[in-house]
Amino acid sequence: MAVAQNSHDLASTPALVPRMLNHYARVTHDVGATADFYGRILGMEIASTIMDDHIPSTGDPYPYFHIFFRMGDGSTMAFFECTELPLPSAPSHPAYDVFDHIALEVKDSDELARWKEWLVSQGVEVLGPVDHKGIIESIYFRDPNGYRLELTTPIDPAWNHHGKQAQEDLTLWLQARQQAQVRGENVSEAMVALIHRVKQQRYKTEI
């Protein structure tokens, strides 16, 4: 079975890695409400805008307004308002509406609590804080477009330096999924069984 490897383990892969997030772009149907939310409520400065009557990368004739909001490290959130663009179709499963999100990092737990207080005072519905296995702590909410956002702070200072364990977990997941498929077993049930074993071993969690 082919198992994904760390890119630096592949001799054919050049030693390249992106240095930071430049921008993450989504569609908005109300750029005014989006600008108010990301500017006034989330405190991001409007960094740049672009207007055009076609998409430069593809040539498609979609007139749009493109706006960027800058965060503390210089990375940006970006949005496109395109005229006469219909609303997107509902997702095929409600899990898409939970899994699809972007997480923005804040200084510490105290600042995270201040963020929650501020958001709630502005009429934003907030979920959390949530402790993710002692790795990060997060709150969740939605912007005016319905996109799910997360504000998070690391609890484990090395939270994003557990590459060896991550590679082992990826291998476990892929192998368990393939074995279930080969045996004709229910794949979801097999993955839940794997998750329970890992939680019991790693977190001493009673299932």
Side-chain angles (χ1 to χ4, degrees):
M1 178 187 63
V3 176
Q5 302 181 49
N6 186 295
S7 61
H8 295 292
D9 295 334
L10 302 177
S12 61
T13 303
L16 298 172
V17 63
R19 62 181 297 269
M20 64 177 283
L21 174 69
N22 182 280
H23 69 277
Y24 176 81
R26 301 292 298 266
V27 167
T28 177
H29 290 274
D30 187 342
V31 72
T34 296
D36 178 69
F37 185 85
Y38 285 88
R40 182 178 62 83
I41 294 181
L42 291 187
M44 299 182 195
E45 184 177 349
I46 296 177
S48 190
T49 55
I50 300 171
M51 285 184 278
D52 209 338
D53 60 358
H54 69 282
I55 306 297
S57 58
T58 65
D60 289 313
Y62 307 148
Y64 67 87
F65 184 85
H66 195 19
I67 188 167
F68 298 78
F69 303 92
R70 187 174 58 247
M71 291 178 274
D73 69 345
S75 58
T76 61
M77 292 282 291
F79 294 88
F80 290 92
E81 181 179 285
C82 179
T83 59
E84 301 180 6
L85 191 67
L87 293 173
S89 302
S92 58
H93 191 285
Y96 283 106
D97 206 32
V98 177
F99 290 143
D100 290 346
H101 72 283
I102 187 166
L104 311 176
E105 187 170 316
V106 301
K107 181 181 177 182
D108 53 29
S109 294
D110 288 341
E111 186 170 287
L112 190 67
R114 289 169 52 205
W115 268 109
K116 179 176 181 178
E117 182 179 3
W118 164 248
L119 290 167
V120 170
S121 76
Q122 298 303 302
V124 179
E125 184 176 346
V126 179
L127 173 66
V130 177
D131 183 337
H132 294 282
K133 302 292 189 296
I135 299 174
I136 57 175
E137 182 182 16
S138 306
I139 60 174
Y140 298 88
F141 52 98
R142 295 185 184 275
D143 78 355
N145 308 292
Y147 299 136
R148 195 172 196 230
L149 299 175
E150 174 183 356
L151 289 181
T152 187
T153 187
I155 299 173
D156 173 5
W159 75 274
N160 59 350
H161 291 278
H162 298 300
K164 183 175 183 294
Q165 178 179 298
Q167 187 64 52
E168 292 171 354
D169 287 349
L170 175 60
T171 300
L172 280 175
W173 183 271
L174 295 178
Q175 289 177 342
R177 188 180 68 191
Q178 185 188 51
Q179 288 169 2
Q181 292 169 337
V182 169
R183 295 170 181 166
E185 299 171 347
N186 182 291
V187 175
S188 291
E189 291 177 359
M191 307 321 287
V192 168
L194 169 66
I195 292 167
H196 287 181
R197 290 197 302 273
V198 171
K199 289 174 70 173
Q200 288 174 327
Q201 295 167 2
R202 188 171 301 163
Y203 309 114
K204 311 302 180 185
T205 301
E206 294 295 330
I207 304 302

